[in-house]
Amino acid sequence: MPATSPQPRRPRSGPRRDETARLAVLHAADDLLVEHGFGGLTVEAIAKRAGVAKQTIYRWWPSKVEILLDTLIEDSGKSLPVPTEKATAESIRGYLRGFARFLTRDPAGKVLLALIAQAQHDPDTAKSFHKRYLGPRRTQERDMLARAIEAGEISPELGPDATMDALVGPIVYRALTGASIPRGLVDTLVDGLLRPRAN
Amino acid sequence: MPATSPQPRRPRSGPRRDETARLAVLHAADDLLVEHGFGGLTVEAIAKRAGVAKQTIYRWWPSKVEILLDTLIEDSGKSLPVPTEKATAESIRGYLRGFARFLTRDPAGKVLLALIAQAQHDPDTAKSFHKRYLGPRRTQERDMLARAIEAGEISPELGPDATMDALVGPIVYRALTGASIPRGLVDTLVDGLLRPRAN
Amino acid sequence: MPATSPQPRRPRSGPRRDETARLAVLHAADDLLVEHGFGGLTVEAIAKRAGVAKQTIYRWWPSKVEILLDTLIEDSGKSLPVPTEKATAESIRGYLRGFARFLTRDPAGKVLLALIAQAQHDPDTAKSFHKRYLGPRRTQERDMLARAIEAGEISPELGPDATMDALVGPIVYRALTGASIPRGLVDTLVDGLLRPRAN
Amino acid sequence: MPATSPQPRRPRSGPRRDETARLAVLHAADDLLVEHGFGGLTVEAIAKRAGVAKQTIYRWWPSKVEILLDTLIEDSGKSLPVPTEKATAESIRGYLRGFARFLTRDPAGKVLLALIAQAQHDPDTAKSFHKRYLGPRRTQERDMLARAIEAGEISPELGPDATMDALVGPIVYRALTGASIPRGLVDTLVDGLLRPRAN
DNA sequence: AGTTAATCGAGACGGTACGTCGCGTCTTTGC
DNA sequence: GCAAAGACGCGACGTACCGTCTCGATTAACT
């Protein structure tokens, strides 16, 4: 059972990471994405907008995608928590409604869509996006489903991942194609896919 | 009273568009997308691979996105026709299965995913993608649904667009997140969303 | 067995060279040079302005420089003939004054300057420019000098070429540097370089 | 009463201009001009030869002409200083001989010829060439003449500019037309144009 | 209190790709 | 066979960002 932390040696001298700069970068990236879209989102522009040197960005983030991931994780944790207490069909319905609102109304929703998109273009983005966002969230969603099943609230035909994708997919797809998410969609999905068929 | 031909009907003299070059560009773009992903897809590389001058590309396509759209329209018309004859629940199920196969197996499926992605990054892409691909295809899909409804084969709760998105969304979403499309998913979607609930 | 002219056989069929097109090209080139300078003088622009196909230009001229040479030879033959009759100091002085006027006032003077310039940039231009313009004109100028010497009108210290260059050089140089040619310059050159020094 | 420094005296932080790159560009441009002529002198080739990025060139020079001007100013300052001490007919003669040698033998002479030429094709070049090279040099030459006149060494009939052009013009003109500058030319020019006519 | 080292803004650097322009050649159609 | 029209392969243009680097200046913690 050898060494613990790799470099415990020098506890660092000099100034620590500048929190002001960190937040400025995050907000700048967010704003620029909303204003000019992902295409107009350059590291140089972020740096300028944040009043920060380019090197300061590269020191802390390996790519602009990771900046967006940081904002997404922070924002979606706040705006869109996965229900952990009660687990009824109703709470799942509420979660999906929240998700739809998030994607279409919240600026942070744009970030999520942009990352889904960028993951198609770049394998590194895909990897990081799964590891840092999709994976953890899916874990929580699986829990949510499991609890509801156990409570006899729902009885989906498919496995948890396929079920979640069947619920979430249409919402994401409509957001991706610029369509609104109509009231009845979430209801129909929940009713058609989670409720046990009477037979 | 049909309008006379709007064109002055001057068939132009001089050389016509070089069909060989057109196809070379289309194939080069397709190949490069599969090999290096959208991120590695540059106009310069397409030109080099196709043995064509860059200007020849810009003469006919305003952007690399339009090249991909051309390949997609051509390919998906062949590999994935929307059923126009019979319109049963079964034919819809078959169409969705074909769609799933197309997205996950066919190289042209990568093109579709790339375009969905790029449409998030660039409004022009979005516009063109809707106008040239999503729109026309959706029109055909609406027809398919309408015929099936009329035949009493299905009775979806939602409108045609929302219904199609509910069916297609999960498939696209799983493809976007790199997941396979399990056998039962299409069945469950068709059963849960198209069949009238017995009650 | 003397060979007759190379291809006397077919007196040519098909249409002969279109004189209208030839003149249109010449004038277009001239105009464009004056309007936009040599930098803005492109074969494409000449063709468009002349209402002529690019190929028609390339069929008859190997380069745009030869077009300019054609206009120069034609124009300078008219505006600036080398005196062939009388050969006095006075006629030489008149020739130089005409040359100065040509360079600074006549549009064709711009063509001469442009060709002198282009000859620095491109060896082919230099060769053709010497062979078709400078050489023949210099031959005539040498004759002019020789006749004046023989008539006892002048007695230059230098050989004919150096003498002509000494006379013409300052005029060209001032034109090249955008300076006007002052009245006294020609007189001083003639007096200082052609008249025998009293001694 | 010296003016205080107008600059806010903030000496900038960050990296200064890379002197190595500057010299590499200057030399590359010089070499390429001599090897391939002005026609073959492209910014891309300079960059490649100098081992420098194209942007580094555009950062510091607005055009390749300015690069050449830099080399010319530097080189001609060294190889061809205008005499500032003694001012005799003899020193002027020496200056002209040096000028002839510079134009025909020194690689930097090619640069001067190329710039004279390019100034015909492009107004911006003309402007910059006069302001940065011809003007300053002419100022010094005027001084040279003025001192010689005051010393009674020469008594030209024309004003200083016309006189200098009459002396320099033939030399430049012969260089432009690819001719050598014969021994006697300079002597004859100096004798014929600077010396007071005995009468 | 002085030393040390990591931070920061600024921005120059070697690169790659962009989208455009003009070159000189080639191809089609019509007179 | 010439001409208008214009597509083609080619190569350079000048620009935008990339990610790396070097410069002072500043700022904590550790002597």
Side-chain angles (χ1 to χ4, degrees):
Chain A
M1 202 174 69
T4 46
S5 61
Q7 269 87 16
R9 192 59 56 90
R10 279 284 220 71
R12 309 270 263 51
S13 84
R16 295 306 182 278
R17 177 171 189 177
D18 183 344
E19 182 65 9
T20 313
R22 195 189 129 257
L23 291 175
V25 168
L26 255 33
H27 290 143
D30 221 340
D31 293 354
L32 287 171
L33 183 77
V34 170
E35 287 173 29
H36 306 304
F38 191 89
L41 184 69
T42 70
V43 174
E44 228 134 47
I46 297 172
K48 182 167 248 177
R49 167 80 83 123
V52 141
K54 229 174 4 154
Q55 184 57 38
T56 298
I57 295 182
Y58 284 110
R59 198 179 349 259
W60 301 109
W61 292 276
S63 74
K64 64 186 176 189
V65 161
E66 298 294 327
I67 302 175
L68 292 179
L69 260 174
D70 278 8
T71 76
L72 176 62
I73 288 167
E74 208 150 307
D75 291 356
S76 83
K78 287 177 192 160
S79 317
L80 192 62
V82 181
T84 51
E85 302 290 319
K86 49 184 177 173
T88 63
E90 209 47 46
S91 71
I92 294 173
R93 191 191 311 266
Y95 175 62
L96 291 174
R97 276 209 231 283
F99 187 64
R101 210 180 312 114
F102 179 71
L103 271 191
T104 51
R105 304 245 200 289
D106 195 312
K110 297 282 172 218
V111 176
L112 176 50
L113 293 177
L115 287 172
I116 291 174
Q118 188 57 16
Q120 308 308 307
H121 292 346
D122 170 24
D124 289 351
T125 296
K127 201 169 207 171
S128 194
F129 181 50
H130 274 82
K131 184 169 178 180
R132 300 189 56 205
Y133 184 79
L134 288 184
R137 180 156 283 261
R138 180 50 54 96
T139 300
Q140 294 183 276
E141 292 169 338
R142 266 194 294 252
D143 282 358
M144 175 181 71
L145 285 187
R147 270 177 280 114
I149 292 172
E150 205 171 350
E153 282 275 333
I154 61 174
S155 60
E157 289 188 351
L158 298 163
D161 280 341
T163 300
M164 274 314 300
D165 289 336
L167 294 170
V168 155
I171 296 170
V172 170
Y173 183 66
R174 286 193 64 97
L176 286 170
T177 53
S180 64
I181 285 111
R183 271 226 133 263
L185 180 57
V186 171
D187 290 334
T188 303
L189 289 170
V190 169
D191 291 349
L193 299 171
L194 296 184
R195 293 279 187 71
R197 278 191 91 80
N199 50 3
Chain B
M1 197 177 74
T4 53
S5 60
Q7 299 86 345
R9 188 57 59 81
R10 232 324 207 82
R12 282 234 307 95
S13 93
R16 296 304 183 281
R17 178 172 187 177
D18 184 343
E19 182 66 7
T20 312
R22 196 190 125 254
L23 291 175
V25 168
L26 255 32
H27 291 143
D30 222 340
D31 293 354
L32 287 171
L33 182 76
V34 170
E35 288 173 29
H36 305 305
F38 190 89
L41 183 69
T42 69
V43 174
E44 223 135 50
I46 296 172
K48 181 168 251 175
R49 165 81 81 120
V52 139
K54 221 177 1 160
Q55 185 58 46
T56 296
I57 296 182
Y58 284 110
R59 200 182 342 266
W60 299 109
W61 292 278
S63 73
K64 64 187 176 187
V65 161
E66 297 293 325
I67 303 176
L68 292 179
L69 256 175
D70 278 8
T71 77
L72 176 61
I73 289 167
E74 211 151 303
D75 290 356
S76 83
K78 287 175 192 161
S79 316
L80 192 62
V82 181
T84 51
E85 304 288 320
K86 50 186 177 172
T88 62
E90 209 46 47
S91 70
I92 294 172
R93 192 191 310 267
Y95 174 63
L96 292 174
R97 275 210 233 281
F99 187 65
R101 210 180 311 115
F102 179 72
L103 271 191
T104 52
R105 304 248 200 286
D106 196 311
K110 296 282 172 220
V111 176
L112 177 50
L113 293 177
L115 286 172
I116 291 174
Q118 189 57 18
Q120 307 308 307
H121 291 346
D122 169 24
D124 290 351
T125 295
K127 201 168 207 172
S128 194
F129 181 50
H130 275 81
K131 184 169 179 178
R132 299 190 55 205
Y133 184 78
L134 287 185
R137 180 157 282 263
R138 180 50 55 95
T139 300
Q140 294 183 277
E141 292 169 338
R142 265 195 294 252
D143 282 359
M144 176 181 71
L145 284 188
R147 271 177 281 116
I149 292 171
E150 206 171 349
E153 282 275 333
I154 61 174
S155 60
E157 290 187 351
L158 298 164
D161 280 342
T163 300
M164 275 313 302
D165 289 337
L167 294 170
V168 156
I171 297 171
V172 170
Y173 184 67
R174 286 195 62 99
L176 286 170
T177 53
S180 65
I181 284 111
R183 269 227 133 264
L185 179 56
V186 171
D187 289 334
T188 304
L189 289 169
V190 169
D191 291 349
L193 299 171
L194 296 184
R195 293 280 185 71
R197 281 189 89 81
N199 51 3
Chain C
M1 196 178 72
T4 47
S5 59
Q7 268 88 17
R9 192 57 59 86
R10 281 281 221 71
R12 310 277 258 47
S13 84
R16 296 304 180 282
R17 176 173 190 179
D18 183 343
E19 181 66 7
T20 313
R22 197 189 127 257
L23 290 175
V25 169
L26 255 32
H27 290 143
D30 220 341
D31 292 355
L32 286 171
L33 182 76
V34 170
E35 287 173 29
H36 305 304
F38 190 89
L41 183 69
T42 71
V43 173
E44 229 133 48
I46 296 172
K48 182 167 246 175
R49 166 81 83 123
V52 139
K54 230 177 1 157
Q55 184 57 38
T56 299
I57 295 182
Y58 283 110
R59 201 180 342 263
W60 300 109
W61 292 275
S63 75
K64 65 186 175 188
V65 160
E66 299 292 327
I67 302 175
L68 291 179
L69 259 175
D70 278 8
T71 76
L72 176 62
I73 288 167
E74 208 151 306
D75 291 355
S76 82
K78 286 177 192 160
S79 317
L80 192 63
V82 181
T84 51
E85 304 287 321
K86 51 185 176 172
T88 61
E90 208 47 43
S91 71
I92 294 172
R93 190 191 311 266
Y95 175 62
L96 291 175
R97 276 209 233 280
F99 187 65
R101 211 178 310 114
F102 179 73
L103 271 191
T104 52
R105 306 248 200 285
D106 196 311
K110 295 283 172 217
V111 177
L112 176 50
L113 293 177
L115 287 172
I116 291 174
Q118 189 57 16
Q120 308 307 307
H121 290 347
D122 169 23
D124 289 350
T125 296
K127 202 169 205 170
S128 194
F129 180 50
H130 275 81
K131 185 169 178 179
R132 298 188 57 205
Y133 184 78
L134 288 184
R137 180 156 282 263
R138 179 50 55 95
T139 300
Q140 294 182 277
E141 292 170 338
R142 266 195 293 255
D143 283 357
M144 175 181 70
L145 284 188
R147 271 178 281 114
I149 292 173
E150 205 172 349
E153 281 276 332
I154 61 173
S155 60
E157 288 187 352
L158 298 162
D161 279 344
T163 299
M164 275 313 301
D165 288 337
L167 294 170
V168 156
I171 296 171
V172 170
Y173 184 67
R174 287 194 63 101
L176 286 170
T177 52
S180 63
I181 284 111
R183 272 227 131 264
L185 179 57
V186 172
D187 290 334
T188 303
L189 289 169
V190 171
D191 292 349
L193 298 171
L194 296 184
R195 294 280 186 71
R197 280 190 90 79
N199 51 3
Chain D
M1 198 179 73
T4 52
S5 61
Q7 300 86 344
R9 188 59 58 81
R10 222 344 196 76
R12 283 233 307 93
S13 94
R16 295 308 182 282
R17 177 172 188 176
D18 184 342
E19 182 67 8
T20 312
R22 197 190 124 254
L23 291 175
V25 168
L26 256 31
H27 291 144
D30 222 341
D31 292 355
L32 287 171
L33 183 76
V34 170
E35 287 173 29
H36 304 306
F38 190 89
L41 183 69
T42 69
V43 173
E44 223 136 50
I46 296 173
K48 181 167 251 175
R49 166 82 81 118
V52 141
K54 222 176 3 159
Q55 186 58 47
T56 297
I57 296 183
Y58 284 109
R59 193 173 1 252
W60 299 109
W61 291 277
S63 73
K64 65 186 173 187
V65 161
E66 298 292 326
I67 303 176
L68 292 179
L69 257 175
D70 278 9
T71 77
L72 176 62
I73 289 166
E74 210 151 303
D75 291 355
S76 82
K78 286 176 193 161
S79 315
L80 191 64
V82 181
T84 51
E85 303 288 319
K86 50 185 177 174
T88 62
E90 209 47 45
S91 71
I92 294 172
R93 190 191 312 267
Y95 174 62
L96 292 174
R97 274 208 235 282
F99 187 65
R101 208 179 312 115
F102 180 73
L103 271 191
T104 52
R105 303 245 201 288
D106 195 311
K110 296 281 173 219
V111 176
L112 177 50
L113 293 177
L115 287 172
I116 291 173
Q118 188 57 17
Q120 308 307 308
H121 290 346
D122 170 22
D124 289 351
T125 297
K127 201 169 206 171
S128 195
F129 181 49
H130 274 81
K131 184 169 178 179
R132 297 189 57 205
Y133 184 77
L134 288 184
R137 181 156 282 262
R138 180 49 55 92
T139 300
Q140 294 182 280
E141 292 170 338
R142 267 195 293 254
D143 283 358
M144 176 181 71
L145 286 187
R147 272 177 279 113
I149 291 173
E150 205 172 348
E153 281 274 333
I154 60 172
S155 60
E157 288 188 352
L158 299 162
D161 280 344
T163 299
M164 274 313 302
D165 289 337
L167 293 170
V168 156
I171 296 171
V172 170
Y173 184 66
R174 286 192 66 97
L176 286 169
T177 53
S180 64
I181 284 113
R183 267 229 135 262
L185 181 56
V186 172
D187 289 334
T188 303
L189 289 170
V190 169
D191 292 349
L193 299 170
L194 296 184
R195 293 282 184 71
R197 280 189 91 80
N199 52 2

